Amino acid sequence: MGAREEGKAQEAAYKAQARTAELNAEAERRKQERIADKYAQEQMQLDDKRRLARGQVAASAGASGMTMIGSGLDIMSSSEAAWQRDSKNLLTNQRLDNEASRAAETNYTQSALNAYSAASNAKRASRQKQIGSILGAASSIYGAYSSGKTVGTETTGSSSDVWADTADWSGVKKSKYGWGAYGDPNYGR
């Protein structure tokens, strides 16, 4: 019973670890969605800044009576280049964050699989230990029973008290309790 309870406790512990790892993997999947939403929001803010800058440049050029040729166009192209750099940086950061989150999710999933495997191994080991305990107890009981079992007639004409066994032992003698041997000081008493 002790081996059984120990096995159940180990199996339950490994299954709890597996469930925790599965929950962590699910949390990483939700985090990936939030990562995408976060960077989409940042990209929209960046686009809004770009439109605002373009509008300010156009308004400033119009208020001063200039056309969008020359310095106005230079300002627009430089702000466009800055927007493209920032946009690429956002996309790169999103990919890196998403990749790290996917790696963490994979690690949690693998950890869950390992824990389930360990739970299965603990259950199998517990069963083997239980079977070993049962077989050991049965062997010990059988050994005690068969060595203490003395059936038959008492031999006569000898000073020793020897009992015959029901099996044919071909002349091998046993002490009356089955434990004695010729070198045993209690043999024959």
Side-chain angles (χ1 to χ4, degrees):
M1 293 309 262
R4 181 176 182 229
E5 293 305 316
E6 180 183 340
K8 281 186 171 185
Q10 283 181 334
E11 182 183 3
Y14 284 125
K15 283 185 177 180
Q17 287 177 353
R19 284 189 292 274
T20 300
E22 285 174 337
L23 290 173
N24 288 336
E26 180 60 32
E28 283 298 325
R29 280 190 288 279
R30 286 192 306 270
K31 181 179 177 183
Q32 291 165 23
E33 294 169 7
R34 288 191 308 271
I35 287 171
D37 291 343
K38 171 190 165 206
Y39 282 101
Q41 183 68 32
E42 288 182 24
Q43 184 63 48
M44 285 191 295
Q45 290 173 350
L46 189 60
D47 292 347
D48 290 344
K49 285 181 185 178
R50 176 179 147 216
R51 281 192 291 279
L52 181 63
R54 290 181 93 178
Q56 286 175 343
V57 169
S60 176
S64 64
M66 298 187 324
T67 61
M68 288 304 290
I69 300 172
S71 44
L73 189 57
D74 291 340
I75 293 172
M76 291 287 263
S77 65
S78 71
S79 86
E80 187 72 20
W83 172 83
Q84 285 178 351
R85 276 193 311 274
D86 290 345
S87 189
K88 282 183 182 179
N89 286 340
L90 277 177
L91 184 59
T92 301
N93 290 341
Q94 177 185 1
R95 287 178 179 161
L96 292 174
D97 286 352
N98 223 352
E99 185 178 315
S101 181
R102 283 189 183 140
E105 177 189 359
T106 301
N107 290 339
Y108 286 129
T109 302
Q110 189 60 46
S111 177
L113 292 174
N114 290 343
Y116 279 128
S117 177
S120 176
N121 290 342
K123 186 175 184 177
R124 186 178 309 112
S126 173
R127 284 183 184 157
Q128 290 173 348
K129 193 172 183 182
Q130 290 172 38
I131 289 170
S133 293
I134 291 169
L135 291 177
S139 173
S140 148
I141 291 169
Y142 177 76
Y145 174 74
S146 65
S147 66
K149 179 180 175 187
T150 54
V151 177
T153 59
E154 187 176 334
T155 58
T156 57
S158 171
S159 63
S160 62
D161 229 357
V162 179
W163 292 77
D165 200 316
T166 56
D168 179 20
W169 288 91
S170 304
V172 176
K173 295 182 178 179
K174 288 184 161 183
S175 74
K176 87 180 194 183
Y177 298 107
W179 294 98
Y182 290 110
D184 188 350
N186 294 324
Y187 181 73
R189 289 191 182 166

